[in-house]
mmCIF file of all heavy atoms in Angstrom:
data_model
loop_
_atom_site.group_PDB
_atom_site.id
_atom_site.type_symbol
_atom_site.label_atom_id
_atom_site.label_comp_id
_atom_site.label_asym_id
_atom_site.label_seq_id
_atom_site.Cartn_x
_atom_site.Cartn_y
_atom_site.Cartn_z
ATOM 1 N N GLY K 1364 -41.390 10.227 183.613
ATOM 2 C CA GLY K 1364 -42.694 10.670 183.133
ATOM 3 C C GLY K 1364 -43.506 11.380 184.192
ATOM 4 O O GLY K 1364 -44.207 12.353 183.911
ATOM 5 N N THR K 1365 -43.398 10.924 185.450
ATOM 6 C CA THR K 1365 -44.160 11.526 186.536
ATOM 7 C C THR K 1365 -43.698 12.949 186.820
ATOM 8 O O THR K 1365 -44.506 13.874 186.952
ATOM 9 C CB THR K 1365 -44.028 10.672 187.814
ATOM 10 O OG1 THR K 1365 -44.472 9.347 187.523
ATOM 11 C CG2 THR K 1365 -44.851 11.257 188.944
ATOM 12 N N VAL K 1366 -42.383 13.147 186.922
ATOM 13 C CA VAL K 1366 -41.851 14.482 187.180
ATOM 14 C C VAL K 1366 -42.134 15.402 186.001
ATOM 15 O O VAL K 1366 -42.355 16.599 186.172
ATOM 16 C CB VAL K 1366 -40.335 14.413 187.463
ATOM 17 C CG1 VAL K 1366 -39.765 15.803 187.701
ATOM 18 C CG2 VAL K 1366 -40.071 13.543 188.676
ATOM 19 N N LYS K 1367 -42.162 14.837 184.797
ATOM 20 C CA LYS K 1367 -42.433 15.659 183.614
ATOM 21 C C LYS K 1367 -43.808 16.296 183.673
ATOM 22 O O LYS K 1367 -44.003 17.414 183.180
ATOM 23 C CB LYS K 1367 -42.280 14.831 182.331
ATOM 24 C CG LYS K 1367 -42.512 15.675 181.078
ATOM 25 C CD LYS K 1367 -42.106 14.976 179.831
ATOM 26 C CE LYS K 1367 -42.520 15.814 178.609
ATOM 27 N NZ LYS K 1367 -41.967 17.179 178.672
ATOM 28 N N VAL K 1368 -44.774 15.591 184.258
ATOM 29 C CA VAL K 1368 -46.113 16.171 184.402
ATOM 30 C C VAL K 1368 -46.038 17.458 185.214
ATOM 31 O O VAL K 1368 -46.599 18.491 184.827
ATOM 32 C CB VAL K 1368 -47.073 15.166 185.068
ATOM 33 C CG1 VAL K 1368 -48.411 15.837 185.385
ATOM 34 C CG2 VAL K 1368 -47.309 13.964 184.153
ATOM 35 N N GLY K 1369 -45.339 17.432 186.340
ATOM 36 C CA GLY K 1369 -45.192 18.635 187.163
ATOM 37 C C GLY K 1369 -44.429 19.728 186.442
ATOM 38 O O GLY K 1369 -44.783 20.914 186.517
ATOM 39 N N PHE K 1370 -43.372 19.351 185.725
ATOM 40 C CA PHE K 1370 -42.592 20.324 184.961
ATOM 41 C C PHE K 1370 -43.455 20.978 183.891
ATOM 42 O O PHE K 1370 -43.414 22.201 183.688
ATOM 43 C CB PHE K 1370 -41.396 19.607 184.325
ATOM 44 C CG PHE K 1370 -40.580 20.474 183.405
ATOM 45 C CD1 PHE K 1370 -39.714 21.426 183.914
ATOM 46 C CD2 PHE K 1370 -40.659 20.312 182.023
ATOM 47 C CE1 PHE K 1370 -38.959 22.224 183.062
ATOM 48 C CE2 PHE K 1370 -39.906 21.100 181.169
ATOM 49 C CZ PHE K 1370 -39.046 22.053 181.693
ATOM 50 N N ASP K 1371 -44.250 20.176 183.185
ATOM 51 C CA ASP K 1371 -45.115 20.718 182.133
ATOM 52 C C ASP K 1371 -46.165 21.673 182.707
ATOM 53 O O ASP K 1371 -46.484 22.698 182.089
ATOM 54 C CB ASP K 1371 -45.800 19.580 181.380
ATOM 55 C CG ASP K 1371 -44.858 18.873 180.412
ATOM 56 O OD1 ASP K 1371 -43.749 19.393 180.193
ATOM 57 O OD2 ASP K 1371 -45.229 17.808 179.893
ATOM 58 N N LEU K 1372 -46.720 21.340 183.864
ATOM 59 C CA LEU K 1372 -47.709 22.224 184.489
ATOM 60 C C LEU K 1372 -47.072 23.564 184.862
ATOM 61 O O LEU K 1372 -47.697 24.620 184.705
ATOM 62 C CB LEU K 1372 -48.304 21.545 185.720
ATOM 63 C CG LEU K 1372 -49.240 20.362 185.439
ATOM 64 C CD1 LEU K 1372 -49.615 19.662 186.740
ATOM 65 C CD2 LEU K 1372 -50.494 20.824 184.701
ATOM 66 N N ALA K 1373 -45.835 23.531 185.349
ATOM 67 C CA ALA K 1373 -45.126 24.774 185.679
ATOM 68 C C ALA K 1373 -44.881 25.602 184.421
ATOM 69 O O ALA K 1373 -45.034 26.833 184.424
ATOM 70 C CB ALA K 1373 -43.808 24.451 186.389
ATOM 71 N N CYS K 1374 -44.506 24.933 183.318
ATOM 72 C CA CYS K 1374 -44.287 25.642 182.051
ATOM 73 C C CYS K 1374 -45.584 26.272 181.551
ATOM 74 O O CYS K 1374 -45.583 27.403 181.024
ATOM 75 C CB CYS K 1374 -43.750 24.673 180.997
ATOM 76 S SG CYS K 1374 -42.052 24.141 181.273
ATOM 77 N N ALA K 1375 -46.692 25.553 181.706
ATOM 78 C CA ALA K 1375 -47.984 26.085 181.278
ATOM 79 C C ALA K 1375 -48.359 27.323 182.087
ATOM 80 O O ALA K 1375 -48.880 28.309 181.539
ATOM 81 C CB ALA K 1375 -49.059 25.012 181.415
ATOM 82 N N ALA K 1376 -48.092 27.291 183.387
ATOM 83 C CA ALA K 1376 -48.397 28.444 184.243
ATOM 84 C C ALA K 1376 -47.566 29.651 183.832
ATOM 85 O O ALA K 1376 -48.069 30.788 183.789
ATOM 86 C CB ALA K 1376 -48.136 28.091 185.702
ATOM 87 N N LEU K 1377 -46.296 29.427 183.511
ATOM 88 C CA LEU K 1377 -45.433 30.526 183.061
ATOM 89 C C LEU K 1377 -45.936 31.093 181.743
ATOM 90 O O LEU K 1377 -45.911 32.314 181.530
ATOM 91 C CB LEU K 1377 -43.999 30.028 182.919
ATOM 92 C CG LEU K 1377 -42.979 31.067 182.427
ATOM 93 C CD1 LEU K 1377 -42.902 32.242 183.392
ATOM 94 C CD2 LEU K 1377 -41.608 30.413 182.262
ATOM 95 N N ALA K 1378 -46.410 30.220 180.848
ATOM 96 C CA ALA K 1378 -46.939 30.680 179.558
ATOM 97 C C ALA K 1378 -48.165 31.564 179.756
ATOM 98 O O ALA K 1378 -48.341 32.567 179.051
ATOM 99 C CB ALA K 1378 -47.281 29.484 178.673
ATOM 100 N N VAL K 1379 -49.022 31.198 180.703
ATOM 101 C CA VAL K 1379 -50.200 32.020 181.012
ATOM 102 C C VAL K 1379 -49.765 33.408 181.466
ATOM 103 O O VAL K 1379 -50.307 34.434 181.025
ATOM 104 C CB VAL K 1379 -51.056 31.342 182.102
ATOM 105 C CG1 VAL K 1379 -52.125 32.300 182.625
ATOM 106 C CG2 VAL K 1379 -51.708 30.079 181.549
ATOM 107 N N LEU K 1380 -48.780 33.467 182.336
ATOM 108 C CA LEU K 1380 -48.276 34.751 182.825
ATOM 109 C C LEU K 1380 -47.717 35.590 181.685
ATOM 110 O O LEU K 1380 -48.007 36.792 181.572
ATOM 111 C CB LEU K 1380 -47.206 34.509 183.890
ATOM 112 C CG LEU K 1380 -46.538 35.766 184.473
ATOM 113 C CD1 LEU K 1380 -47.571 36.635 185.179
ATOM 114 C CD2 LEU K 1380 -45.417 35.377 185.429
ATOM 115 N N CYS K 1381 -46.923 34.977 180.807
ATOM 116 C CA CYS K 1381 -46.338 35.699 179.680
ATOM 117 C C CYS K 1381 -47.417 36.185 178.717
ATOM 118 O O CYS K 1381 -47.317 37.292 178.155
ATOM 119 C CB CYS K 1381 -45.340 34.804 178.943
ATOM 120 S SG CYS K 1381 -43.811 34.491 179.837
ATOM 121 N N ALA K 1382 -48.456 35.369 178.508
ATOM 122 C CA ALA K 1382 -49.539 35.771 177.612
ATOM 123 C C ALA K 1382 -50.250 37.003 178.148
ATOM 124 O O ALA K 1382 -50.558 37.945 177.394
ATOM 125 C CB ALA K 1382 -50.520 34.616 177.434
ATOM 126 N N LEU K 1383 -50.518 37.024 179.450
ATOM 127 C CA LEU K 1383 -51.216 38.162 180.045
ATOM 128 C C LEU K 1383 -50.358 39.427 180.012
ATOM 129 O O LEU K 1383 -50.866 40.534 179.798
ATOM 130 C CB LEU K 1383 -51.603 37.833 181.486
ATOM 131 C CG LEU K 1383 -52.643 36.714 181.658
ATOM 132 C CD1 LEU K 1383 -52.854 36.409 183.127
ATOM 133 C CD2 LEU K 1383 -53.960 37.104 180.986
ATOM 134 N N VAL K 1384 -49.054 39.255 180.183
ATOM 135 C CA VAL K 1384 -48.151 40.415 180.241
ATOM 136 C C VAL K 1384 -47.822 40.952 178.857
ATOM 137 O O VAL K 1384 -47.875 42.162 178.615
ATOM 138 C CB VAL K 1384 -46.856 40.047 180.999
ATOM 139 C CG1 VAL K 1384 -45.833 41.188 180.897
ATOM 140 C CG2 VAL K 1384 -47.151 39.746 182.462
ATOM 141 N N PHE K 1385 -47.482 40.067 177.927
ATOM 142 C CA PHE K 1385 -46.958 40.512 176.627
ATOM 143 C C PHE K 1385 -47.996 40.534 175.507
ATOM 144 O O PHE K 1385 -47.807 41.228 174.511
ATOM 145 C CB PHE K 1385 -45.786 39.623 176.212
ATOM 146 C CG PHE K 1385 -44.611 39.689 177.142
ATOM 147 C CD1 PHE K 1385 -44.265 38.604 177.920
ATOM 148 C CD2 PHE K 1385 -43.867 40.853 177.264
ATOM 149 C CE1 PHE K 1385 -43.187 38.651 178.792
ATOM 150 C CE2 PHE K 1385 -42.779 40.922 178.121
ATOM 151 C CZ PHE K 1385 -42.434 39.826 178.896
ATOM 152 N N VAL K 1386 -49.075 39.758 175.626
ATOM 153 C CA VAL K 1386 -50.103 39.727 174.579
ATOM 154 C C VAL K 1386 -51.386 40.408 175.041
ATOM 155 O O VAL K 1386 -52.107 40.997 174.236
ATOM 156 C CB VAL K 1386 -50.380 38.278 174.136
ATOM 157 C CG1 VAL K 1386 -51.376 38.247 172.977
ATOM 158 C CG2 VAL K 1386 -49.087 37.577 173.726
ATOM 159 N N GLY K 1387 -51.654 40.331 176.339
ATOM 160 C CA GLY K 1387 -52.844 40.966 176.876
ATOM 161 C C GLY K 1387 -54.013 40.037 177.068
ATOM 162 O O GLY K 1387 -55.030 40.423 177.643
ATOM 163 N N HIS K 1388 -53.910 38.807 176.590
ATOM 164 C CA HIS K 1388 -54.953 37.803 176.793
ATOM 165 C C HIS K 1388 -54.310 36.426 176.677
ATOM 166 O O HIS K 1388 -53.107 36.311 176.407
ATOM 167 C CB HIS K 1388 -56.091 37.970 175.773
ATOM 168 C CG HIS K 1388 -55.645 37.893 174.342
ATOM 169 N ND1 HIS K 1388 -55.634 36.713 173.642
ATOM 170 C CD2 HIS K 1388 -55.178 38.853 173.494
ATOM 171 C CE1 HIS K 1388 -55.188 36.939 172.415
ATOM 172 N NE2 HIS K 1388 -54.905 38.226 172.295
ATOM 173 N N LEU K 1389 -55.096 35.367 176.858
ATOM 174 C CA LEU K 1389 -54.537 34.009 176.884
ATOM 175 C C LEU K 1389 -54.287 33.462 175.485
ATOM 176 O O LEU K 1389 -54.779 32.379 175.130
ATOM 177 C CB LEU K 1389 -55.462 33.083 177.664
ATOM 178 C CG LEU K 1389 -55.544 33.338 179.164
ATOM 179 C CD1 LEU K 1389 -56.491 32.338 179.826
ATOM 180 C CD2 LEU K 1389 -54.163 33.265 179.807
ATOM 181 N N ALA K 1390 -53.535 34.166 174.683
ATOM 182 C CA ALA K 1390 -53.169 33.686 173.357
ATOM 183 C C ALA K 1390 -52.190 32.529 173.486
ATOM 184 O O ALA K 1390 -51.239 32.584 174.254
ATOM 185 C CB ALA K 1390 -52.528 34.818 172.550
ATOM 186 N N GLY K 1391 -52.433 31.467 172.722
ATOM 187 C CA GLY K 1391 -51.519 30.332 172.725
ATOM 188 C C GLY K 1391 -51.659 29.415 173.925
ATOM 189 O O GLY K 1391 -50.925 28.439 174.045
ATOM 190 N N VAL K 1392 -52.563 29.709 174.828
ATOM 191 C CA VAL K 1392 -52.783 28.863 176.011
ATOM 192 C C VAL K 1392 -54.272 28.555 176.091
ATOM 193 O O VAL K 1392 -55.079 29.437 176.378
ATOM 194 C CB VAL K 1392 -52.306 29.556 177.299
ATOM 195 C CG1 VAL K 1392 -52.488 28.631 178.492
ATOM 196 C CG2 VAL K 1392 -50.862 30.001 177.181
ATOM 197 N N ARG K 1393 -54.612 27.288 175.823
ATOM 198 C CA ARG K 1393 -56.007 26.888 175.839
ATOM 199 C C ARG K 1393 -56.153 25.522 176.501
ATOM 200 O O ARG K 1393 -55.243 25.042 177.179
ATOM 201 C CB ARG K 1393 -56.569 26.850 174.402
ATOM 202 C CG ARG K 1393 -56.753 28.226 173.766
ATOM 203 C CD ARG K 1393 -57.349 28.116 172.374
ATOM 204 N NE ARG K 1393 -58.597 27.346 172.376
ATOM 205 C CZ ARG K 1393 -59.261 27.032 171.255
ATOM 206 N NH1 ARG K 1393 -58.798 27.415 170.067
ATOM 207 N NH2 ARG K 1393 -60.381 26.326 171.325
ATOM 208 N N GLU K 1394 -57.304 24.889 176.265
ATOM 209 C CA GLU K 1394 -57.554 23.604 176.907
ATOM 210 C C GLU K 1394 -56.552 22.532 176.485
ATOM 211 O O GLU K 1394 -56.218 21.632 177.256
ATOM 212 C CB GLU K 1394 -58.981 23.126 176.593
ATOM 213 C CG GLU K 1394 -59.312 22.965 175.110
ATOM 214 C CD GLU K 1394 -59.842 24.221 174.449
ATOM 215 O OE1 GLU K 1394 -59.465 25.332 174.865
ATOM 216 O OE2 GLU K 1394 -60.646 24.068 173.511
ATOM 217 N N GLY K 1395 -56.043 22.651 175.255
ATOM 218 C CA GLY K 1395 -55.053 21.686 174.785
ATOM 219 C C GLY K 1395 -53.756 21.747 175.570
ATOM 220 O O GLY K 1395 -53.073 20.729 175.727
ATOM 221 N N THR K 1396 -53.407 22.937 176.058
ATOM 222 C CA THR K 1396 -52.186 23.082 176.856
ATOM 223 C C THR K 1396 -52.296 22.258 178.138
ATOM 224 O O THR K 1396 -51.350 21.571 178.538
ATOM 225 C CB THR K 1396 -51.946 24.564 177.201
ATOM 226 O OG1 THR K 1396 -51.881 25.331 175.993
ATOM 227 C CG2 THR K 1396 -50.639 24.735 177.974
ATOM 228 N N VAL K 1397 -53.457 22.322 178.777
ATOM 229 C CA VAL K 1397 -53.675 21.567 180.015
ATOM 230 C C VAL K 1397 -53.628 20.069 179.741
ATOM 231 O O VAL K 1397 -53.025 19.295 180.498
ATOM 232 C CB VAL K 1397 -55.026 21.957 180.650
ATOM 233 C CG1 VAL K 1397 -55.285 21.139 181.903
ATOM 234 C CG2 VAL K 1397 -55.056 23.448 180.971
ATOM 235 N N VAL K 1398 -54.256 19.651 178.632
ATOM 236 C CA VAL K 1398 -54.266 18.231 178.281
ATOM 237 C C VAL K 1398 -52.844 17.738 178.025
ATOM 238 O O VAL K 1398 -52.440 16.672 178.513
ATOM 239 C CB VAL K 1398 -55.156 17.989 177.043
ATOM 240 C CG1 VAL K 1398 -54.988 16.556 176.536
ATOM 241 C CG2 VAL K 1398 -56.608 18.262 177.385
ATOM 242 N N CYS K 1399 -52.071 18.503 177.274
ATOM 243 C CA CYS K 1399 -50.684 18.116 177.004
ATOM 244 C C CYS K 1399 -49.869 18.064 178.296
ATOM 245 O O CYS K 1399 -49.053 17.162 178.490
ATOM 246 C CB CYS K 1399 -50.042 19.094 176.020
ATOM 247 S SG CYS K 1399 -50.569 18.902 174.310
ATOM 248 N N ALA K 1400 -50.084 19.053 179.167
ATOM 249 C CA ALA K 1400 -49.346 19.092 180.422
ATOM 250 C C ALA K 1400 -49.646 17.874 181.277
ATOM 251 O O ALA K 1400 -48.757 17.306 181.919
ATOM 252 C CB ALA K 1400 -49.682 20.368 181.188
ATOM 253 N N ALA K 1401 -50.913 17.452 181.283
ATOM 254 C CA ALA K 1401 -51.316 16.344 182.143
ATOM 255 C C ALA K 1401 -51.001 14.979 181.558
ATOM 256 O O ALA K 1401 -50.752 14.026 182.296
ATOM 257 C CB ALA K 1401 -52.818 16.446 182.430
ATOM 258 N N LEU K 1402 -50.983 14.861 180.211
ATOM 259 C CA LEU K 1402 -50.922 13.538 179.600
ATOM 260 C C LEU K 1402 -49.626 13.212 178.860
ATOM 261 O O LEU K 1402 -49.351 12.028 178.634
ATOM 262 C CB LEU K 1402 -52.102 13.363 178.636
ATOM 263 C CG LEU K 1402 -53.493 13.385 179.277
ATOM 264 C CD1 LEU K 1402 -54.572 13.152 178.220
ATOM 265 C CD2 LEU K 1402 -53.606 12.345 180.386
ATOM 266 N N THR K 1403 -48.834 14.205 178.461
ATOM 267 C CA THR K 1403 -47.619 13.887 177.713
ATOM 268 C C THR K 1403 -46.686 12.995 178.528
ATOM 269 O O THR K 1403 -46.132 12.009 178.024
ATOM 270 C CB THR K 1403 -46.871 15.169 177.292
ATOM 271 O OG1 THR K 1403 -47.718 15.964 176.453
ATOM 272 C CG2 THR K 1403 -45.604 14.821 176.512
ATOM 273 N N GLY K 1404 -46.521 13.323 179.817
ATOM 274 C CA GLY K 1404 -45.688 12.481 180.679
ATOM 275 C C GLY K 1404 -46.238 11.081 180.816
ATOM 276 O O GLY K 1404 -45.487 10.107 180.895
ATOM 277 N N VAL K 1405 -47.563 10.968 180.839
ATOM 278 C CA VAL K 1405 -48.200 9.649 180.925
ATOM 279 C C VAL K 1405 -47.904 8.838 179.665
ATOM 280 O O VAL K 1405 -47.592 7.637 179.732
ATOM 281 C CB VAL K 1405 -49.723 9.800 181.116
ATOM 282 C CG1 VAL K 1405 -50.401 8.437 181.099
ATOM 283 C CG2 VAL K 1405 -50.023 10.527 182.424
ATOM 284 N N VAL K 1406 -47.989 9.491 178.505
ATOM 285 C CA VAL K 1406 -47.683 8.810 177.245
ATOM 286 C C VAL K 1406 -46.214 8.395 177.216
ATOM 287 O O VAL K 1406 -45.867 7.305 176.754
ATOM 288 C CB VAL K 1406 -48.017 9.724 176.040
ATOM 289 C CG1 VAL K 1406 -47.633 9.031 174.734
ATOM 290 C CG2 VAL K 1406 -49.497 10.065 176.027
ATOM 291 N N VAL K 1407 -45.335 9.270 177.722
ATOM 292 C CA VAL K 1407 -43.908 8.937 177.801
ATOM 293 C C VAL K 1407 -43.708 7.694 178.653
ATOM 294 O O VAL K 1407 -42.962 6.775 178.286
ATOM 295 C CB VAL K 1407 -43.099 10.123 178.377
ATOM 296 C CG1 VAL K 1407 -41.687 9.686 178.744
ATOM 297 C CG2 VAL K 1407 -43.042 11.263 177.370
ATOM 298 N N ASN K 1408 -44.371 7.637 179.813
ATOM 299 C CA ASN K 1408 -44.275 6.448 180.667
ATOM 300 C C ASN K 1408 -44.733 5.191 179.926
ATOM 301 O O ASN K 1408 -44.141 4.112 180.050
ATOM 302 C CB ASN K 1408 -45.116 6.628 181.928
ATOM 303 C CG ASN K 1408 -44.390 7.421 183.002
ATOM 304 O OD1 ASN K 1408 -43.177 7.573 182.959
ATOM 305 N ND2 ASN K 1408 -45.133 7.940 183.964
ATOM 306 N N GLY K 1409 -45.814 5.330 179.152
ATOM 307 C CA GLY K 1409 -46.313 4.190 178.389
ATOM 308 C C GLY K 1409 -45.313 3.728 177.345
ATOM 309 O O GLY K 1409 -45.064 2.522 177.194
ATOM 310 N N TYR K 1410 -44.723 4.683 176.617
ATOM 311 C CA TYR K 1410 -43.702 4.345 175.624
ATOM 312 C C TYR K 1410 -42.498 3.678 176.286
ATOM 313 O O TYR K 1410 -41.949 2.700 175.775
ATOM 314 C CB TYR K 1410 -43.229 5.602 174.899
ATOM 315 C CG TYR K 1410 -44.155 6.105 173.811
ATOM 316 C CD1 TYR K 1410 -44.109 7.441 173.408
ATOM 317 C CD2 TYR K 1410 -45.059 5.266 173.170
ATOM 318 C CE1 TYR K 1410 -44.934 7.924 172.416
ATOM 319 C CE2 TYR K 1410 -45.890 5.735 172.176
ATOM 320 C CZ TYR K 1410 -45.822 7.070 171.800
ATOM 321 O OH TYR K 1410 -46.648 7.535 170.798
#
């Protein structure tokens, strides 16, 4: 779960880059992306 948090943050950063390059703005990347990146691994650890 701990490593997953770092992996998710890296995936979120890549999504931001792709949004800027291919869409022109932060489409599909919002505050929920950060929350999921930070907490999904924590929830996995809890489960």
Side-chain angles (χ1 to χ4, degrees):
T1365 303
V1366 179
K1367 182 168 173 56
V1368 172
F1370 175 76
D1371 284 350
L1372 289 172
C1374 289
L1377 179 60
V1379 169
L1380 178 62
C1381 289
L1383 294 175
V1384 172
F1385 297 112
V1386 184
H1388 58 92
L1389 291 180
V1392 183
R1393 289 182 54 185
E1394 58 272 31
T1396 303
V1397 178
V1398 171
C1399 285
L1402 296 182
T1403 300
V1405 176
V1406 177
V1407 168
N1408 278 343
Y1410 281 157

